[in-house]
Each structure stands twice: as structure tokens, then as C-alpha cells.
Amino acid sequence: MQNDKLSGQFAADVDAGLKSSPKKIPSRYFYDSTGSQLFKQITQLPEYYLTKCEEEIILDNSPRIVGIISVNFPESINLIEFGAGDTEKPFPLITQILAAQLSLTYTAIDISDTALSDLSFRVLEKFPDLKFQGLNQEYFEALNSVKIGNNSRNLVLFLGSNIGNFKHNQSIDFLDQMRKSLNPGDYLLIGFDLKKDNSILIPAYDDASGITREFNINLLKRINRDLGGNFNINNFYHSAIYNDTSGAMESYLISKCVQNIYIEKLNQTCTFLAGERIHTESSHKYDLNDIDYLAEASGFKILESFLDSRKYFACSLWQAK
Ligand code: AVJ
């Protein structure tokens, strides 16, 4: 029925999430093939500045970044991208690495296999000779299976502020495990969405054309499709708020009325009160001190942080200690 990695766990996580209080559904379930396409549309929205800022940063700074990483290890580079999606964000870096005549392999990890096959098509079109591999895995799973080169320099990409979906402790845990799986001296280029005014943040997560609402509501449609749920999607609305305490944009689906939802595969009825919320995502925002702290806590040294012209977003180049 569905062909992505997480189908087995979906039922169990929805079951637990709808029984907990407040109700929640983990954000990784956004990315079935419909959700991955909707996210792609989000990245093109005028309000969703994150992708545009990061593309600007990578385009402007690729020569400098490749200059730094090729200093002590000029022969070959393993590029490993976590949560790649189907964006062409790394392409300026790849162009630059190839122009520097380094040999290169590119491994892209993503939970959506449709996004991965779109990406592989575009990589091969643009760089026909590049050694490319797509890994349809979750982040922590991929840490154990991805091949870390011992005779080449590893450069990990973790872009898009994908780290923002982790809780604070989880992000340190993940980065620490990543650093341990790398060789000392290897590099990580990591994207952070910076803290900014609510007037810019809120529309980025609640756009005028309603695509982000669709993206969020797709979770309920996915429960209907894959688990035999009977959610009436017109009985929920999308809400995005900034939580000052946690420093995160939070997304919710809010029940418009008292309602019972039956989910066939769980053989379970779940009751919603009017105004009751399902938490579906937290997207953490950072300042430069937060970035310092994360690098230090996970055993990396910050070499340089690159910002876009509006200072909305940072790509930080780290080195494993
Ligand atoms: C892909 C997790 C970085 O948090 O900004 C976009 C996902 N959610 N709009 C983000 C998302 C709502 C996005 N990340």
C-alpha cells in the first residue's frame, strides 16, 4: 500500500500518540509521497524563506567551504547527506568539489523513497559520472549503516534546519553519535533557522495559500488511507504558534467540535473535545550561542558560520574533534 520505510511503526505511533495527553503525532510521518510533494511546494512559497536563504548561502560560499575542507586532504571526498529530500541544494558544492578535481562520492539518506528517486534522477542528469547512492533510512538507522570513508575526507550535510525537529537532548545525542561515527578531522555542514520576529516566523508556517495547512492535514489523510481512519478533515484546522520558552514553531491540528474518530486498523475509537489539539511538529529556532553550545556539547569545533544577506539562516561548518 505505502512504500516508505516507516509503515510498520506508523500504527503503533499513532495509537500511542492519540492516547497520550496532549495528543501528538510524530512529524516524521509527514513524508509519505504526498507529504514529500507538499513539502517541496512549501519550499517554493514566498513566506517559507528557509530554503531560499540556505540556497543563497551555499551558492555564495561553496568556493570558500571547499577551500577549507580540501586543505589537509586533497584526494577524495565522501559527501553524505542526512534528510536530503529531493532538493538541489548541494549541487553548487558538488560542482565546486569536482572543479577542484577531487574524487567524490555522494550518499543521500531520506525516509521518503520517492524523494530519493527524484533526487537520483536529477543528480545523474547534472553529474552523469558521479558515484551516487540513495539510502532509504531514518537518521539513527543510517548512522549505523552509512559507509564512512577512512581514506577520504567525509563531509556530512545536515541542511534545511532539519535538526530543528529534534528535541534539545535528542539533537545533542544525534550529533554526538554522528561525530563518533566520523573520523577526527571530518566535516559537518549544518543548517540552522535563526530566531527572528513572529511576523516573519508565523507566516512561514501558516502561509496564505494554505499549502502548509494541507501538509499538516495530510497526516490525518494518511491515517485514513493507511490505517482505515474516518477523520473528516473539514473538522480540523491548522495552527502554527511560536513557543517562546522552547524557542520553537509548533504546529497543531485543532478539532472544531466534539467528535469520535474510529481507526479500523487499531480497532480503536478516539474522542476529541472541541478545541482539543494534536501536536504535529516543533521546528526549533537558534541563535549563535545555541549553535556554539550544540557544537561544544557534541564534540565538534565550529570553523565558520555563514549567514544569508537578511541574516535569517545560518549554515555552520563544523569539524569533528
Ligand atoms: C523540513 C523540518 C525543516 O520545520 O521548517 C515546513 C518542515 N513544517 N513547514 C521545518 C516544515 C512546516 C521543515 N523541516
Side-chain angles (χ1 to χ4, degrees), residues 31 39 42 48 50 160-162 165 205 212 215 281 283:
Y31 304 96
F39 178 65
I42 288 176
Y48 196 76
L50 289 81
S161 207
N162 278 334
N165 280 165
Y205 290 86
T212 309
F215 178 68
E281 185 173 44
S283 304

Coordinates of all heavy atoms in Angstrom, one line a residue, residues 31 39 42 48 50 160-162 165 205 212 215 281 283, ligand 1:
Y31 N 6.1 12.6 5.8 CA 6.7 12.5 4.5 C 6.4 11.2 3.8 O 7.3 10.4 3.4 CB 8.3 12.6 4.7 CG 8.6 14.0 5.3 CD1 8.8 14.1 6.7 CD2 8.6 15.1 4.5 CE1 9.0 15.3 7.2 CE2 8.9 16.4 5.1 CZ 9.1 16.5 6.4 OH 9.3 17.7 7.0
F39 N 5.8 19.2 0.8 CA 6.9 19.9 1.4 C 7.7 20.6 0.3 O 8.1 21.8 0.5 CB 7.8 19.0 2.2 CG 9.0 19.7 2.8 CD1 8.8 20.8 3.7 CD2 10.3 19.5 2.3 CE1 9.9 21.5 4.1 CE2 11.4 20.2 2.7 CZ 11.2 21.2 3.7
I42 N 6.0 23.7 -0.3 CA 6.3 24.7 0.8 C 7.6 25.4 0.5 O 7.7 26.6 0.7 CB 6.3 23.9 2.1 CG1 4.9 23.5 2.6 CG2 7.0 24.8 3.2 CD1 4.9 22.7 3.8
Y48 N 8.0 31.0 2.9 CA 8.9 30.0 3.5 C 10.4 30.3 3.1 O 10.9 29.8 2.1 CB 8.6 28.6 3.1 CG 9.2 27.5 3.9 CD1 8.8 27.2 5.2 CD2 10.3 26.8 3.4 CE1 9.4 26.2 6.0 CE2 11.0 25.8 4.2 CZ 10.5 25.5 5.5 OH 11.1 24.6 6.3
L50 N 13.2 29.8 4.5 CA 14.4 28.9 4.9 C 15.2 28.4 3.7 O 16.4 28.5 3.7 CB 13.9 27.7 5.7 CG 13.4 28.0 7.1 CD1 11.9 28.5 7.1 CD2 13.5 26.8 8.0
G160 N 18.7 22.5 5.9 CA 17.3 22.8 5.9 C 16.8 23.0 7.3 O 15.6 23.1 7.5
S161 N 17.6 23.1 8.3 CA 17.2 23.2 9.7 C 16.4 21.9 10.1 O 15.5 22.0 10.9 CB 16.4 24.4 10.0 OG 16.5 24.8 11.4
N162 N 16.7 20.8 9.4 CA 16.1 19.5 9.8 C 16.4 19.2 11.2 O 15.6 18.5 11.9 CB 16.7 18.4 8.9 CG 16.0 18.4 7.5 OD1 14.8 18.8 7.4 ND2 16.7 17.8 6.5
N165 N 13.6 19.7 14.2 CA 12.6 18.8 14.6 C 13.0 17.9 15.8 O 12.1 17.4 16.5 CB 12.2 17.8 13.5 CG 11.2 18.4 12.5 OD1 11.1 17.9 11.4 ND2 10.6 19.6 12.8
Y205 N 5.0 29.3 8.5 CA 4.4 28.0 9.0 C 2.9 28.1 8.9 O 2.2 27.2 9.3 CB 4.8 27.6 10.4 CG 6.3 27.2 10.4 CD1 7.3 28.2 10.5 CD2 6.7 25.9 10.2 CE1 8.6 27.9 10.4 CE2 8.0 25.6 10.1 CZ 9.0 26.5 10.2 OH 10.3 26.2 10.1
T212 N 0.7 24.8 3.7 CA 1.2 24.2 5.0 C 0.1 23.6 5.7 O 0.2 22.5 6.4 CB 1.9 25.3 5.8 OG1 2.8 26.0 5.1 CG2 2.6 24.7 7.0
F215 N -0.3 20.2 4.1 CA 0.8 19.4 4.6 C 0.5 18.8 6.0 O 0.7 17.6 6.2 CB 2.1 20.3 4.7 CG 3.4 19.7 5.1 CD1 4.0 18.7 4.4 CD2 3.9 20.1 6.3 CE1 5.2 18.1 4.8 CE2 5.1 19.5 6.8 CZ 5.8 18.6 6.0
E281 N 4.2 19.0 15.1 CA 5.6 19.4 14.8 C 6.1 20.5 15.7 O 5.4 21.4 16.0 CB 5.8 19.8 13.3 CG 7.2 20.1 12.9 CD 7.4 20.4 11.4 OE1 6.5 21.1 10.9 OE2 8.3 19.8 10.8
S283 N 9.5 23.0 15.3 CA 10.7 23.4 14.5 C 11.5 24.4 15.3 O 11.1 25.6 15.3 CB 10.1 24.0 13.2 OG 9.3 23.1 12.5
Ligands
AVJ1 C1 11.9 20.1 6.9 C2 11.6 20.1 9.3 C3 13.0 21.8 8.3 O1 10.5 22.6 10.2 O2 10.6 24.1 8.7 C4 7.9 23.1 6.8 C5 9.2 21.2 7.9 N1 7.0 22.1 8.5 N2 6.7 23.7 7.1 C6 10.5 22.9 9.1 C7 8.1 22.1 7.7 C8 6.1 23.1 8.1 C9 10.6 21.9 8.0 N3 11.7 20.9 8.1

